[in-house]
Amino acid sequence: MFYKANIDKSNNIREYEETFIKLIPKISLLGQIDLNENQINNISEIMKDKIKILNTNPSYLKRKAPITTALFLLYTGIKDYQEGNFWGPVYKELELEEDNTRLHEKLGEVFYYTLEKYNLIKLDPGRNKYVNQILAHALIVNNYLQEYFEEFLYKECGDFLDFSFTIEDVEKRIVNIRKDHKGHKNLCEDISTLKNKTKNLRAKINDYQLALENHQQLIKINKLIKNRNNITEIDQLLELPSDFLEQKTNNLAAVEGEISNYKAKIMEIESIKKKSNELLKLQKEEQRKIKNLKNKKEKIQAKIREESSGIFDQELDLTVVKVIKNINFDELSIKLSNYKKYNNFKIDAETLKGIFSKIIFWFKNQYFILKGEKKKIKSDIQEILKDLPLKNHIYNELPSVFFTKLKSINDLILKKGNIENKVNKSKETNSTYQKKLEEKLSFLEPETGINYSFIEAELAKKAKIIEEKISALIYRKRSVLEEIKNYKMKLNIISGDKGIEIGKSILEEERKLRKKLNKLKKELDYQEHKLNNLLDIVSSKNKNEIKNLLIHLKSDLKSKKKKLKTDQKKLEAYPERLYSLIEPSRIFLFQAEDIAVDFVYKSLITLKKEKDNKSPSVLTNRINERLKKWWNDFDKANSPNDNDGIYNKNPYLEYINEKNELLISVPEQIIKYPQSNKLKQPILVIKDKDNEVIKKIKLDLQVHKKDLLKTEFKKIKFPQNQKMISLEIIFKDEVILETEFERENFYFLQSNRVLSLNPLAYQELGLILKNNFKIEPQNIVMQKESLSGNFSEYSYYQLCMDDLEILNILNENGFVIETFKKTNYIEPQLIAGEISSNLKSKNKKVYLEKAPILLFTIKELTNLRLWQLRISINKGEKIVNINLRKLENQIKIKNKMVYIYLNNFWLFAI
């Protein structure tokens, strides 16, 4: 079945391809080529390099090495496939990004090309074309071998291990399983079709029943609908408010008012612009005047410098100017005139000295008199001029031009002062203009100086904004006018061109009619499509016709329900045997024909050898090793308890649909062969709540294994008129099993077995409920039957849970006593096969078949760190703390659900 590839390490992909081509005639599935770890790693390295060289284009591989490429994909899946993630590990091996959808399609095409080229089996992969085909060719991938061993090999074929068997025996079993699968699938499809027909019939019956109950009101509604004016324009006008015209007229007035306001603002901006420009013009004139005055001032200043340079030894400053301004020029003029006269007299006296020598003595006397007077005048003049920085010779000589120059300088200073006054006055005027301008333009908030350009630009911006608003308002005005025009036009149309007022009257009458119609519809409170269905019924059929049709529909529904019930019973004969396996495993087992049979046969041979401590050798190493490990763990978990030699399977409740009976099923019990040769049958004792014996039943014994016996499987009816009972199995005067059952208000069922898990997890469900209790919503009930005998106070319901989010159980007073909600997350709970009486999980019943499984969900697939599990046994008599590191190989994560297989639990619990 499996063929090894005889090739040592090679970097040449063609060498691998040639080796594999030689094996192709011997195989039908690529998974029959057995590669060791070194060969797998070497192929992965070659593929990684080739993909990089080829720039992720596998067309070369398709031409030159399709088998090698296909085996690379296959063995990557065998090693690493888990939880639906196939391409992630492939890209990891190739060191590529994971989002290359085009590449994995091309690689998948290479795989299909290999199957077609070498005439290998092409299986039907279902929805996932590439991944399911590849993984089905792998037979069973590593991460799901344990699932195959437990859920298929041991569960479906484990009985072969106790006797000799042939491949024909295994083939018959698998053929039966395949038939069950096909029968189950076909029957499920038939049931689904029948359910849809039943559902449609119920809906139709419901419609006709409602039409009958509300016949008179529906007739009234139909009459109003017939009287309703169906002119399109009326429908359009009725969608609008009754005061539409008034609203639009008011809107129009408001829009026109806004347009007028904005136009006034435009005019105001133009006025501001005009006045601002006038102020700027006046400012410019004043600035020009100031400039001219300043030029004059500069010229006077130059003249002052020129005039003062001959008489002053420094440039004039404010102090000197002030002194000059304070000089009494009239007094100075007189003093200088007298000084000149005395000074001239000196000159004449000298002249006369030579001429009139005779009178020299007299003259001298007179001269000295005049000289003293002159000196006094000069002293007065110097006193007047003492604060002026005059040159020294001026003080001594006081030339005739001095007064003229000083007088001229004074006149120039006065003239300059006059000009400065005019400049200051012009500046004040200019400042006044500036303030007025800023007040006018304050709304612009200028950050820089105001000028013609600024005013023009900023006012243009403001005007543009306002003009845009005006344009928008004009458009809105046109729109409102158009709405008014259309409204009036439609009024005229519905009046038959007789005028708007008549149209208004017709519209108002129609509004009243439809208001009455809507009131009637509201009283019925049905959705539009539902009401239309009912109206169609009463318009096409009279009351008697509806009654007759209802009888026919109910008869048809009863017939289909009966057929549905029959098909559902048939479905029990076609169980879904491999539902717990992943889809690729099921595809292989169902479609691979003889290869699948051979594989299962060799798996059983290997398991039997392992069970008998013989060396397995008929499967590949990867399967042998995992099967060996699984069996060791499984065998330990299912070995009898060494303390007392008893392996207990607890009784459970079971509902038999055909007989309407609720039974207690007592499974086989494994017990030690007694040391005494005398064998006494174990006794099943049934007691009431007061511990009084109701019934005793002897249980047959048969040999199970060496030193072990097995009791018979027994079903008994729940004792009549008993609310609570206890069961005991007594062997050799010892109680080897004890449990209690109490009648509940309701029992949920799945495949006849009482459930403890959330019932909303199942699409179809059975419910046994006390007669005075109710289910909400009621439309999920597909079938109801009263139970008989000691459970006559109960009824059985077959429920359809499709799309149901919440289920309520109500008591006789209509109060909700229990609510079940659909949830994506499961709280931690222990699950397995039958109900255990000595294990509890948050008040839920715990199922035991071989070994319990702790199940819970996680919200995200992230790093999960589990430390310790605390289990209470026999209601707290014994507490067991399990270090989960010891169970790390028993922890499995699938679809965000965590499974902890407590195979070694009993070893920990001892």
Side-chain angles (χ1 to χ4, degrees), residues 33-75:
I33 296 177
D34 184 17
L35 299 181
N36 60 41
E37 189 174 348
N38 290 334
Q39 290 169 333
I40 295 167
N41 293 337
N42 199 27
I43 290 173
S44 295
E45 285 297 320
I46 293 171
M47 289 298 299
K48 180 176 68 177
D49 295 339
K50 288 292 181 186
I51 287 291
K52 285 182 180 176
I53 293 168
L54 298 169
N55 194 23
T56 67
N57 185 356
S59 56
Y60 168 84
L61 298 173
K62 184 176 180 180
R63 294 194 311 273
K64 300 295 184 181
I67 305 174
T68 309
T69 305
L71 285 171
F72 161 72
L73 295 172
L74 182 106
Y75 271 92

Side-chain angles (χ1 to χ4, degrees), residues 875-889:
K875 300 180 180 179
E877 288 182 12
K878 185 173 183 180
I879 303 294
V880 178
N881 294 312
I882 302 173
N883 185 340
L884 290 177
R885 289 185 179 178
K886 296 179 181 178
L887 294 177
E888 60 184 351
N889 294 326

Side-chain angles (χ1 to χ4, degrees), residues 338-339 341-349 352 362-378:
N338 289 334
Y339 179 77
K341 183 172 69 171
Y342 289 123
N343 199 42
N344 287 340
F345 180 80
K346 174 187 174 186
I347 297 171
D348 291 343
L352 288 172
W362 177 86
F363 176 78
K364 283 182 178 181
N365 288 335
Q366 190 66 34
Y367 172 76
F368 285 114
I369 294 168
L370 291 171
K371 190 176 181 182
E373 190 66 27
K374 176 185 173 184
K375 189 176 182 181
K376 184 178 179 301
I377 291 170
K378 185 176 181 180

Side-chain angles (χ1 to χ4, degrees), residues 379-396:
S379 176
D380 291 342
I381 289 170
Q382 286 175 340
E383 180 62 30
I384 292 170
L385 302 174
K386 68 179 180 178
D387 293 326
L388 293 175
L390 296 171
K391 292 181 177 180
N392 289 332
H393 75 277
I394 297 298
Y395 276 112
N396 294 329

Side-chain angles (χ1 to χ4, degrees), residues 201-212:
L201 265 176
R202 278 202 193 96
K204 203 168 183 180
I205 289 169
N206 184 54
D207 284 353
Y208 276 87
Q209 192 70 47
L210 290 172
L212 197 61

